[in-house]
């Protein structure tokens, strides 16, 4: 076995020389014209010998329908000239998906698939004047099933090679024969939908260790689908027979693994004594039976296309966390070509598609042409090579060559994106789209974060803990995460923060815990605490670990006003103490300010986390939620005190501190709410934002996203005094925003019809620090100017809603906040408050921390009362 080598060939002669040196049979020829020859496949005529292999993009919508990138991908392939488009693996069941973004064909998505087929056909006809043949690969991911983002393996047999990689115990259940019987029905239904969508053929995926392929190697399994050859191949054979008989509108075929490179009895197509040696006896027998069923062509594969310890596909670069194969890439290619040639020559009337050419880069067509010329395959497919170079077929047909600068470099970036759960494509040659996807996937990848967490110094008096308003035991939860203990890590998080997923999105970690990590001092490279918190919280939710732990029922009830971070945190902690909760929220959804006003690009919604946490309390009738209910108009405080043992006020600051009233002027919170609800489609060209806090930054960034061309933040002090988090400010500037410093608004300029024309400004100079500790802005007489604008968004601070002021008139202080004493008790007996209404509006985590402490005080107070 030779050592692995990166691609370094500059000419065909160099390729030939290396093949000869390694004693490998890799045919090469200069003339690639044979690849343009037509080929009859069943009742279809292919215009050339080049095909696109099924490569998942994982870019479906939430219901599994093809998304915009799916349409882009197949349009490019169609315009690229391949005569056969083999559409990517598409699940036949939700649970069969290997990724939350994998395509899924069902009644609710078939219309989008039909549109994809139609647009793909149209794109090919526009460029080439002909339609490609289109095959849809139908799949069940089996042990790779990951429909919600966490593994949910469905396995056909136990394997000492594969089970450890999936951390499966010896008693992990196998899919039952009844399940597999029903799976046949689902494949047939999906085939019927594929015909409805307009596909020419369907492929029952039988490769790369997915469920059907795993059954082929299920020698150790009992029952109708294991043991004998007939049983092991039953799912594929019977399903294809049924589709042939029941769905006449499409032809049937398969992408089949002829050689697994896994030791017998756990691999298919392997020598019983040496798994490194192919034994095609059973694969050839199966292919013969499939030919008898009428398949018009066969798509052949071997091993695993992502990483195989032995005899997988060749890579030029190391896959993150895995080693490259211990052999020269040409050895893997020669093995693939040899197996394909054996199958093609055994079935000369059955067109076989060859694979495994990407590593050859620009010499792919020269080897492919020689293979076709010698009868080693009738068609040649590209998978990841097509990701990188979707119109390579056009260059092969028209120029007789491929551009070496555009070829796949076999970096495995597309594979890494897939593993990390992001949208998949070529990171190198389609960098504008897939570069960010790669970085996003790597940012939240478990393996990378577990590698990063090793840098934690486990400080005894950890500065990250002291900088966290909730004082989460950060070293403790990082240690548990490093050990792979998601449940333990989440338990540590929730001790101090019952909404860790929300806080992972919306809290300013760079200003708090992460910004105080000692690694930031040493190397300007703090531990990614925020990302790890998000990964732990999300993984715990998907594993069903986040439901509130209900305490022993006390018979006491608390009314909580406000369904934002503070109200939710107080409710959750009180539920843990065993109390019942009545939760009142003025909006139509829980989540408060993060839910209603933080832009979706920063925080989509709170629903998933809140539903998972609150489900046990709702099911046990310990929690009653009343939406669209406001204290004042809908609720009277005295009535709440009659119905409950205590009342907690956890409302936000929902009113503007400076109400507008001028046409063309809108409050920032109202603007953000309407934008997040999709009620604002476009904006005028010039927008001014008054204020420089985080709300102002959110409003300004949202204005840019909605199409405003010139967005200017007006601030009366300097950058140093700006209250917005630096990360948000820099993000706004990076998007093309403007900040006008040391200017103070002094009214609005309007025309005769009272339409806004601009903001009147006075220049300021900075004086001595005021009570806030920031230098006081001093307006300069005679410096008046007008900034022309079409819309003004006021973000000059928030205040308590007037209804709440009236309801709590006795407790509202001169600065407009609810005054509290020890234990967050107000001056009204049995009424407590925390969060923005008390602290004036800081961060979600501070409101949560205060509310959790208030919950403890409420618990102690009501338990001291007579029942």
């Amino acid at each position: 076995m030779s050592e692995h080598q990166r691609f370094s060939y500059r000419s065909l002669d160099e390729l030939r020389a290396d093949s000869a040196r390694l004693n490998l049979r890799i045919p090469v020829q200069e003339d690639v014209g044979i690849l343009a020859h037509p080929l009859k496949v069943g009742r279809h005529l292919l215009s050339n010998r080049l095909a696109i292999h099924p490569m998942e993009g994982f870019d479906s919508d939430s219901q599994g329908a093809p998304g915009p990138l799916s349409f882009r991908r197949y349009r490019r392939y169609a315009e690229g000239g391949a005569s056969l488009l083999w559409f990517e693996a598409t699940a036949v069941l939700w649970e069969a998906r290997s990724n939350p973004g994998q395509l899924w064909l069902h009644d609710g998505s078939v219309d989008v698939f039909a549109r994809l087929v139609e647009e793909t056909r149209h794109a090919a006809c526009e460029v080439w004047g002909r339609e490609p043949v289109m095959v849809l690969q139908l799949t069940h991911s089996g042990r790779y099933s990951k429909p919600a983002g966490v593994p949910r393996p469905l396995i056909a047999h136990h394997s000492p090679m594969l089970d450890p990689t999936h951390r499966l115990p010896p008693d992990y259940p196998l899919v039952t024969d009844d399940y597999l019987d029903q799976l046949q029905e689902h494949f047939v239904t999906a085939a019927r939908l594929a015909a409805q969508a307009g596909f020419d053929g369907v492929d029952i995926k039988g490769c790369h260790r997915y469920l059907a392929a795993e059954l082929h190697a299920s020698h150790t399994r009992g029952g109708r689908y294991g043991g004998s050859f007939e049983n092991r191949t039953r799912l594929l054979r019977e399903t294809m027979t049924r589709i042939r008989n029941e769905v006449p509108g499409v032809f049937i075929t398969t992408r089949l693994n002829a050689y697994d490179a896994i030791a017998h009895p756990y691999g298919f197509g392997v020598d019983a004594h040496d798994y490194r040696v192919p034994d095609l006896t059973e694969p050839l027998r199966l292919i013969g039976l499939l030919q008898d069923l009428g398949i018009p062509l066969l798509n052949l594969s071997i091993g695993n296309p992502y990483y195989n310890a032995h005899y997988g596909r060749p890579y030029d670069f190391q896959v993150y966390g895995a080693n490259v194969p211990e052999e020269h890439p040409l050895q893997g290619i020669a093995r693939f070509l040899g197996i394909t040639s054996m199958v093609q020559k055994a079935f000369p009337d059955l067109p076989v598609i060859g694979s495994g050419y990407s590593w050859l880069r620009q010499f792919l067509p020269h080897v492919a042409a020689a293979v076709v010329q010698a009868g080693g395959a009738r068609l040649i497919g590209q998978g990841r090579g097509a990701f990188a170079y979707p119109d390579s077929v056009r260059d092969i047909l028209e120029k007789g060559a491929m551009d070496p600068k555009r070829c796949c470099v076999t970096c495995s970036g597309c594979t890494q994106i897939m593993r990390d759960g992001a949208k998949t494509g070529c990171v190198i040659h389609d960098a504008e789209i897939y570069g960010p996807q790669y970085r996003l996937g790597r940012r939240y990848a478990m393996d990378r974060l577990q590698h990063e967490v090793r840098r934690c110094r486990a400080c005894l008096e950890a500065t990250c803990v002291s900088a966290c308003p909730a004082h989460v035991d950060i070293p403790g939860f990082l240690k548990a995460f490093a050990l792979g203990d998601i449940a333990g890590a989440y338990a540590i998080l929730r001790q101090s923060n019952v909404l860790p997923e929300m806080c992972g999105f919306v809290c300013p970690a760079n200003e708090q815990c992460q910004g105080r990590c000692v690694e930031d001092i040493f190397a300007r490279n703090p531990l990614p605490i925020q990302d790890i918190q998000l990964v732990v919280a999300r993984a715990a939710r998907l594993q069903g670990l986040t439901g509130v732990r209900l305490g022993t029922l006390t018979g006491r009830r608390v009314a909580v006003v406000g369904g934002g971070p503070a109200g939710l945190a107080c409710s959750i902690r009180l539920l843990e103490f065993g109390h019942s909760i009545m939760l009142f929220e003025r909006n139509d959804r829980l989540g408060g300010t993060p839910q209603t006003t933080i832009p979706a690009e920063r925080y989509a919604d709170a629903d998933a986390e809140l539903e998972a946490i609150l489900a046990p309390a709702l099911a046990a009738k310990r929690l009653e939620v009343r939406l669209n209910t406001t204290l004042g108009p809908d609720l009277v405080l005295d009535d709440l005190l009659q119905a409950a043992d205590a009342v907690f006020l956890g409302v936000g600051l929902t009113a503007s501190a400076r109400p507008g009233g001028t046409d063309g002027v809108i409050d920032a919170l109202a603007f953000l709410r309407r934008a997040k609800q999709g009620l604002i489609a476009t904006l005028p060209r010039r927008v001014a934002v008054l204020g420089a806090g985080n709300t102002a930054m959110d409003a300004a960034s949202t204005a840019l996203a909605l199409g405003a061309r010139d967005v200017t933040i007006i601030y009366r002090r300097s950058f140093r005094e700006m209250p917005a988090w630096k990360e948000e400010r820099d993000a706004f500037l990076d998007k093309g925003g403007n900040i006008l410093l040391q200017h103070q608004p002094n009214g609005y300029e309007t025309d005769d019809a009272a339409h806004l024309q601009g903001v009147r400004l006075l220049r300021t100079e900075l004086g001595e620090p005021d009570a806030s500790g920031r230098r006081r802005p001093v307006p300069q007489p005679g410096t008046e100017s007008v900034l022309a604008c079409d819309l003004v968004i006021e973000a000059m601070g928030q205040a308590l809603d007037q209804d709440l002021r009236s309801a709590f008139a006795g407790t509202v202080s001169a600065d407009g906040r609810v005054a509290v004493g020890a234990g967050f008790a107000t001056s009204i007996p049995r009424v407590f408050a925390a969060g923005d209404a008390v602290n004036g509006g800081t961060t979600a985590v501070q409101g949560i921390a205060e509310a959790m402490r208030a919950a403890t005080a409420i618990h102690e107070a009501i338990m001291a009362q007579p029942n």
Side-chain angles (χ1 to χ4, degrees):
M1 184 175 291
S2 302
E3 290 185 1
H4 186 270
Q5 177 180 306
R6 289 189 176 186
F7 183 93
S8 60
Y9 306 123
R10 295 290 185 180
S11 69
L12 283 174
D13 287 340
E14 291 181 7
L15 175 59
R16 289 189 183 100
D18 233 13
S19 297
R21 177 180 65 82
L22 295 166
N23 196 29
L24 300 174
R25 299 181 63 182
I26 298 179
V28 178
Q29 67 183 42
E30 299 281 349
D31 184 3
V32 301
I34 194 171
L35 298 178
H37 290 187
L39 177 68
K40 191 77 164 28
V41 172
R43 59 186 176 85
H44 298 277
L45 180 64
L46 303 182
S47 59
N48 58 60
R49 302 300 184 92
L50 296 163
I52 300 298
H53 276 318
M55 290 286 289
E56 296 98 327
F58 299 120
D59 41 31
S60 76
D61 67 14
S62 61
Q63 296 303 306
L69 288 177
S70 308
F71 280 83
R72 174 183 184 266
R73 179 164 55 260
Y74 289 101
R75 182 185 70 249
R76 296 172 89 202
Y77 291 159
E79 293 171 346
S83 62
L84 176 62
L85 303 184
W86 208 289
F87 282 63
E88 65 201 75
T90 298
V92 299
L93 289 165
W94 178 84
E95 68 200 45
R97 302 167 85 186
S98 64
N99 182 295
Q102 185 173 39
L103 299 184
W104 169 30
L105 180 57
H106 55 94
D107 287 334
S109 64
V110 66
D111 288 345
V112 186
F113 277 91
R115 184 160 57 87
L116 175 63
V117 169
E118 179 58 32
E119 292 190 14
T120 303
R121 278 207 176 98
H122 179 74
C125 289
E126 284 278 296
V127 176
W128 298 94
R130 55 169 172 75
E131 297 180 0
V133 173
M134 291 183 277
V135 177
L136 180 64
Q137 184 174 78
L138 301 176
T139 189
H140 188 302
S141 298
R143 68 172 59 239
Y144 297 102
S145 292
K146 197 176 180 181
V150 294
R152 292 183 56 181
L154 293 157
I155 65 173
H157 65 257
H158 282 286
S159 165
M161 276 69 72
L162 300 181
D163 287 6
T165 66
H166 297 271
R167 299 181 180 178
L168 302 182
D171 59 349
Y172 190 85
L174 306 181
V175 291
T176 65
D177 285 0
D178 288 344
Y179 181 91
L180 296 172
D181 288 342
Q182 287 299 311
L183 183 57
Q184 290 194 33
E185 298 286 345
H186 293 298
F187 272 113
V188 173
T189 298
R192 190 172 292 115
L193 293 173
Q196 179 182 328
F199 288 99
D200 301 299
V202 291
D203 154 25
I204 307 304
K205 186 174 184 178
C207 60
H208 307 156
R209 304 176 191 158
Y210 292 87
L211 187 56
E214 184 168 309
L215 282 167
H216 296 164
S218 291
H219 298 270
T220 60
R221 179 188 175 93
R224 298 191 303 278
Y225 290 91
S228 69
F229 170 84
E230 289 78 9
N231 285 349
R232 288 182 282 114
T233 61
R234 181 185 303 278
L235 180 72
L236 185 65
R237 292 184 297 102
E238 291 187 354
T239 300
M240 294 178 74
T241 300
R242 290 191 57 189
I243 293 171
R244 181 196 63 184
N245 296 335
E246 299 176 35
V247 191
V250 294
F251 65 78
I252 52 169
T253 184
T254 184
R255 188 164 200 215
L256 183 71
N257 249 38
Y259 168 58
D260 285 348
I262 299 175
H264 185 83
Y266 308 104
F268 183 61
V270 298
D271 183 88
H273 306 290
D274 187 350
Y275 70 93
R276 294 169 296 183
V277 178
D279 180 349
L280 301 189
T281 304
E282 286 197 339
L284 292 174
R285 181 181 174 189
L286 175 57
I287 294 167
L289 294 173
L290 298 181
Q291 186 179 38
D292 292 342
L293 285 176
I295 64 170
L297 77 168
L298 175 71
N299 197 330
L300 202 69
S301 190
I302 67 171
N304 188 304
Y306 309 121
Y307 174 72
N308 221 39
H310 297 279
Y311 309 123
R313 307 300 177 80
Y315 288 119
D316 258 10
F317 303 107
Q318 183 175 1
V319 183
Y320 196 95
N323 296 317
V324 294
E326 298 175 354
E327 66 175 10
H328 195 288
L330 289 180
Q331 291 176 300
I333 292 170
R335 182 180 304 107
F336 211 152
L337 299 185
I339 291 173
T340 304
S341 179
M342 290 175 64
V343 172
Q344 182 65 87
K345 290 177 179 178
F347 299 95
D349 297 328
L350 177 66
V352 175
I353 305 175
S355 307
Y357 290 79
S358 290
W359 188 85
L360 295 167
R361 301 195 190 187
Q362 70 267 29
F363 303 121
L364 178 156
H366 302 282
V367 175
V371 168
V372 173
Q373 188 74 55
R378 306 285 290 282
L379 289 154
I380 304 299
Q382 291 188 73
R384 54 187 172 155
F387 266 170
Y389 194 170
D391 55 346
S392 61
V393 173
R394 178 201 299 272
D395 284 351
I396 294 170
L397 297 177
E398 295 181 351
K399 302 176 183 177
M402 291 173 64
D403 182 349
K405 295 182 177 64
R406 300 187 60 199
C407 291
C408 171
V409 298
T410 57
C411 67
S412 297
C414 56
T415 299
Q416 192 63 63
I417 299 178
M418 178 203 68
R419 288 175 169 171
D420 292 340
K423 295 177 175 64
T424 307
C426 182
V427 180
I428 304 299
H429 296 302
D430 210 354
E432 186 174 346
I433 290 177
Y434 295 106
Q437 287 294 316
Y438 181 89
R439 293 188 292 274
L440 177 67
R442 284 285 80 205
R443 176 179 175 180
Y444 295 112
M446 192 79 74
D447 57 342
R448 185 191 75 84
L449 293 175
Q450 286 183 325
H451 178 79
E452 283 286 292
V453 81
R454 295 173 193 163
R455 296 189 289 117
C456 179
R457 297 171 181 256
C459 308
L460 183 60
E461 299 294 336
T463 51
C464 57
V465 175
S466 62
C468 170
H471 299 299
V472 170
D473 177 11
I474 294 171
F477 108 79
L478 292 181
K479 181 179 180 181
F481 174 76
L483 296 172
D485 182 6
I486 296 296
Y490 184 77
I492 293 171
L493 276 172
R494 73 177 297 153
Q495 285 176 1
S496 305
N497 180 353
V498 293
L499 295 171
E501 191 170 353
M502 175 187 286
C503 290
F505 279 108
V506 305
C507 282
N510 287 331
E511 308 288 328
Q512 296 176 337
C513 57
Q514 199 162 294
R516 293 292 301 278
C517 173
V518 294
E519 285 296 300
D520 190 44
I521 299 171
F522 290 126
R524 290 296 180 202
N525 185 25
L527 268 70
I529 298 169
Q530 185 175 33
D531 292 348
I532 295 171
Q533 177 172 318
L534 266 174
V535 167
V536 167
R538 182 174 181 273
R541 170 169 57 80
L542 293 174
Q543 293 174 26
L545 303 174
T546 57
V548 60
R549 279 70 164 170
L550 300 174
T552 303
L553 190 62
T554 63
R556 307 301 175 91
R557 176 174 293 186
V558 179
V560 176
V561 180
L568 288 164
C570 183
S571 299
I572 293 166
R573 183 46 55 92
L574 289 170
L575 287 165
E576 292 173 345
F577 283 132
H579 308 303
S580 296
I581 303 297
M582 297 184 298
L583 178 57
F584 303 93
E585 165 57 35
R586 64 183 294 158
N587 294 302
D588 59 0
R589 295 167 74 186
L590 297 176
T593 297
Q595 181 75 288
T596 60
T597 62
I598 291 181
E601 66 175 13
R602 285 181 53 211
Y603 185 58
D605 63 61
D607 290 350
E609 182 180 23
L610 297 185
E611 288 171 5
I613 291 173
L614 301 178
L618 291 167
K621 301 189 184 309
R622 300 274 193 97
L623 172 65
E624 177 187 355
V625 178
R626 297 186 192 175
L627 302 174
N628 301 306
T629 306
T630 304
L631 190 63
D634 307 309
L635 291 174
V636 177
L637 182 58
D638 288 343
D639 291 343
L640 292 180
L641 288 170
Q642 287 291 323
D645 296 280
V647 173
F648 174 77
L649 181 67
V651 298
L653 303 177
T654 57
S656 173
R658 179 181 170 180
T662 302
D663 182 41
V665 178
I666 187 172
D667 167 55
L669 291 180
F671 170 75
L672 288 169
R673 280 194 292 268
R674 294 185 63 200
K676 194 163 186 179
Q677 292 170 359
L679 300 177
I680 300 176
T682 58
L683 289 181
R685 183 172 70 87
R686 301 171 301 179
V687 176
V689 179
L690 310 185
N694 294 309
T695 301
M697 293 299 162
D698 282 342
S701 292
T702 299
L704 285 172
L706 289 172
R709 182 174 176 182
D710 299 308
V711 179
T712 303
I713 286 176
I714 299 169
Y715 182 49
R716 56 186 182 160
R717 291 183 168 100
S718 69
F719 272 125
R720 184 173 183 177
E721 286 81 18
M722 190 174 287
W725 303 327
K726 182 178 182 299
E727 186 176 11
E728 299 304 315
R729 182 193 74 195
D730 291 348
F732 168 66
L733 292 172
D734 287 344
K735 294 170 185 173
N738 309 301
I739 298 179
L740 179 61
L741 298 172
Q742 292 188 228
H743 280 77
Q744 179 172 298
N746 194 34
Y748 298 117
E749 196 80 10
T750 61
D751 61 15
D752 293 340
H755 295 142
L756 179 73
Q757 298 295 300
V759 183
R760 292 197 295 270
L761 302 173
L762 279 174
R763 191 171 60 79
T764 65
E765 290 186 2
L766 299 183
E768 295 301 312
D770 59 17
S772 70
R774 296 175 294 168
R775 294 180 66 186
R776 182 171 60 89
V778 181
Q780 300 301 296
T783 61
E784 293 85 354
S785 62
V786 175
L787 177 69
C789 59
D790 308 303
L791 175 69
V792 170
I793 302 173
E794 291 187 336
M796 308 292 284
Q798 289 83 49
L800 272 179
D801 180 271
Q802 187 56 48
D803 290 329
L804 288 169
R805 281 176 169 269
S806 300
F808 283 83
T811 67
V812 178
S813 62
D815 60 3
R817 305 181 189 183
V818 175
V820 297
F824 296 91
T826 70
S827 58
I828 303 174
R830 296 190 290 126
V831 176
F832 300 76
D836 287 356
V838 172
N839 61 40
T842 55
T843 61
V845 68
Q846 181 168 329
I848 289 167
E850 292 174 357
M852 290 175 68
R853 294 199 297 273
T856 300
I858 293 169
H859 169 68
E860 293 172 350
I862 61 178
M863 293 306 291
Q865 300 170 8
N867 199 345

